[in-house]
Amino acid sequence: MAEGVVLDPVDLHLLRLLQNDARTTYRDLAAQVGVAPSTCLDRVTRLRRSGVILGHRLKLDPAKLGRGLQALLSVQVRPHRRELVGPFVERIRALPESLTVFHLTGPDDYLVHVAVADMADLQRLVLDEFTARREVARVETRLIFQQWDCGPILPPSPTPSAQTG
C-alpha cells in the first residue's frame, strides 16, 4: 500500500468493485457502497492521486487475436550485469508476443509470459529473440494449458496480534 494512505471500508469496497469492472459508473459505484456520487468521485480521485490506483487496462483474449498458445519462458542471463539487463528487458518488453516480464531471484533471472500463434511461432520466438542474444545463457519453456484470474487484491487483514497490540 502506498505510504501514508489510509483505506477505510468504503475505499476497500470501491477498490474491489473497480477491480471487477473498471468501467462501472460513479453513480453505480456510489449506490453499491452507499455514498453520494460526488463522494465516490472524490474517493476514487484520491486513490488515483495517492498511487493506490495505477491505471485502467483493457483485457484482450490472445486466442481471438491469433495467439492461442501461451507459455512461460524461464530465462537465465549471463553475466547478470546492469548494462546487459536494461537493454535485455527493454527488448523483451517491446516484443509483441510478451505479455509480462518478471525479474526473479534464484537460478532463473527472468520469467516471461508470452502468447504466440502456435508451436512453430514459439520455436521462432525462443530461437530468434531469446537464445540468439549473447547474454542469454538458457531458456526453459513451459506451456500454459489454462489460466485463471485471481483477486481482487486488497491490503492484508490485520493479524490478531496487531489488533490487540
Side-chain angles (χ1 to χ4, degrees), residues 39-98:
T39 300
C40 182
L41 174 62
D42 289 345
R43 283 176 174 262
V44 172
T45 300
R46 180 179 56 83
L47 292 167
R48 279 194 189 108
R49 285 189 182 141
S50 66
V52 173
I53 296 175
L54 298 176
H56 307 276
R57 294 195 177 174
L58 184 64
K59 185 174 179 182
L60 303 175
D61 183 345
K64 299 247 169 61
L65 298 173
R67 297 182 183 278
L69 181 65
Q70 292 185 50
L72 296 172
L73 307 179
S74 300
V75 182
Q76 192 176 73
V77 173
R78 292 295 175 257
H80 194 183
R81 293 193 321 250
R82 188 171 303 279
E83 63 269 14
L84 294 175
V85 164
F88 171 77
V89 169
E90 289 312 308
R91 174 66 188 136
I92 299 311
R93 290 184 66 211
L95 294 172
E97 298 89 352
S98 296

